[in-house]
Amino acid sequence: MFGSIRISSRIASVLLFTLISVIIPLKAMANYTQTQHPIVLVHGLFGFDSIVGVDYFYRIPEELRRGGARVYVAQVSAANSTEVRGEQLARQVEDILAATGASKVNLMGHSHGGPTIRYVAAVYPHMVASASSVAGVNWGAPMADVLQGVSDHIPLSSSVIAGLGNSFAGFINLISGGGQQQNVNAALRSLTTAETLRFNNDYPEGMPTSYCGNGAAVGPNGVRYYSWSGGRTLTNVLDVTDPFLAAVSVVFLGEKNDGLVSSCSSRLGHVIRDDYRMNHLDEVNHVLGLRHIFETSPVTVFRQQANRLRNAGL
Ligand code: CA
């Protein structure tokens, strides 16, 4: 009889251990990304809302939702200035707040989406808890300077520049299915260094005051600013976009970059990292999840950021 009691107590111990070691962490994982405020993802990369015909943020909204977040994917114009895109985003944020009853949102923007969310945070801070910039074009994109013919610091011959233009057009056609060149030219104008510096002067919140410096983690508007970025171009031999990103990255003259944005240009607020082994498409888990096999998954980086916001009560 005492033996069976001992066995029962052992079984009870095992059950208790199982409960503590498996079920409780699983429960914690289940709300790992459960932020207080909804998350709004904002596309960039010169404005396309999809890449090779699939979602721009590949498998990212789904995984954030699985951890308990309410996630919305904004659709803003491809062809407009940061301010126009920002106003479009602000209207969508108003709709999201009305639909959810939430008081604020957590914005996450990639590429041109970085300045776009900064605009909304600056002009409508009462609607924004945080702004996370992913490879944001916060201090210009040299490729935009070159293709707009306003670069005065990149010593390249006209034939090299023409070649770069072709590589860039090929890249855009490859990911977008073609027909977007007009949009690209319009978007490029707002991504030149001069134009982003003008924008930073008007909307300085979270920005470093010098190139590659550190900005305030919390702006005077009460919004928390974060950023991360990759610093590689060739990351996966199976990804057909990698050679294009490597080709156009020559405009950085050796400076660390992800193919289209330098690590230094991406910096905003609390810099989580600016040197992931990711290129400009890896950062949004493209193409179709092809990325450096020894680097943290881009999806995990988004999940970690949602968890960071959750732990900050945002
Ligand atoms: Ca890739």
Side-chain angles (χ1 to χ4, degrees), residues 235-236 239 241-242 279 281-282 286-287 290-291:
T235 60
N236 191 308
D239 193 326
T241 60
D242 281 31
N279 63 37
L281 288 188
D282 293 335
H286 268 291
V287 170
L290 291 173
R291 40 96 182 174

Side-chain angles (χ1 to χ4, degrees), residues 1-311:
M1 182 182 157
F2 290 117
S4 66
I5 288 173
R6 267 203 299 275
I7 291 168
S8 300
S9 70
R10 272 189 197 149
I11 292 171
S13 300
V14 168
L15 284 175
L16 188 63
F17 178 77
T18 305
L19 183 75
I20 292 168
S21 65
V22 178
I23 297 173
I24 291 175
L26 273 179
K27 176 131 180 64
M29 288 297 284
N31 56 20
Y32 182 76
T33 59
Q34 193 169 36
T35 53
Q36 182 188 333
H37 306 293
I39 292 172
V40 181
L41 299 171
V42 183
H43 66 81
L45 199 74
F46 314 110
F48 307 117
D49 50 17
S50 70
I51 294 173
V52 295
V54 296
D55 294 342
Y56 184 98
F57 293 93
Y58 183 64
R59 298 218 44 79
I60 292 168
E62 297 90 327
E63 291 300 313
L64 291 175
R65 288 186 189 116
R66 207 161 60 86
R70 289 172 290 175
V71 184
Y72 294 82
V73 181
Q75 299 289 328
V76 296
S77 168
N80 267 309
S81 68
T82 305
E83 285 90 342
V84 169
R85 284 167 48 101
E87 285 297 324
Q88 293 171 341
L89 175 60
R91 301 291 84 74
Q92 291 173 42
V93 170
E94 286 167 355
D95 289 345
I96 291 164
L97 295 180
T100 59
S103 58
K104 294 185 177 187
V105 293
N106 291 304
L107 297 171
M108 297 185 182
H110 178 243
S111 194
H112 196 182
T116 308
I117 63 172
R118 285 174 46 210
Y119 173 88
V120 176
V123 179
Y124 306 96
H126 60 283
M127 301 199 298
V128 182
S130 71
S132 301
S133 164
V134 184
V137 188
N138 295 319
W139 206 291
M143 196 62 198
D145 295 341
V146 168
L147 294 182
Q148 291 291 298
V150 294
S151 176
D152 56 5
H153 67 284
I154 302 172
L156 298 173
S157 70
S158 55
S159 61
V160 170
I161 290 173
L164 282 172
N166 288 336
S167 290
F168 187 74
F171 171 73
I172 296 298
N173 283 333
L174 191 67
I175 61 167
S176 68
Q180 297 274 10
Q181 199 56 45
Q182 186 60 34
N183 291 353
V184 171
N185 285 332
L188 278 175
R189 267 195 294 282
S190 60
L191 298 175
T192 57
T193 302
E195 187 57 22
T196 57
L197 291 181
R198 196 273 311 158
F199 181 81
N200 293 347
N201 193 50
D202 290 349
Y203 309 103
E205 294 84 354
M207 276 301 293
T209 52
S210 60
Y211 185 61
C212 222
N214 289 301
V218 183
N221 52 4
V223 175
R224 288 187 190 237
Y225 289 90
Y226 302 85
S227 62
W228 72 87
S229 179
R232 290 272 187 103
T233 52
L234 295 167
T235 60
N236 191 308
V237 294
L238 298 177
D239 193 326
V240 295
T241 60
D242 281 31
F244 286 94
L245 287 169
V248 297
S249 76
V250 301
V251 298
F252 291 99
L253 307 175
E255 184 184 358
K256 189 177 279 292
N257 71 90
D258 68 358
L260 291 173
V261 179
S262 71
S263 293
C264 287
S265 182
S266 76
R267 294 171 72 89
L268 173 77
H270 170 198
V271 178
I272 293 158
R273 262 183 75 174
D274 65 6
D275 62 349
Y276 282 108
R277 283 174 288 191
M278 297 181 188
N279 63 37
H280 204 66
L281 288 188
D282 293 335
E283 291 148 359
V284 286
N285 201 29
H286 268 291
V287 170
L288 303 174
L290 291 173
R291 40 96 182 174
H292 198 294
I293 57 169
F294 296 125
E295 185 53 278
T296 310
S297 160
V299 179
T300 301
V301 176
F302 273 88
R303 292 183 73 244
Q304 288 170 340
Q305 176 61 359
N307 183 253
R308 190 175 287 113
L309 298 174
R310 174 184 182 270
N311 293 340

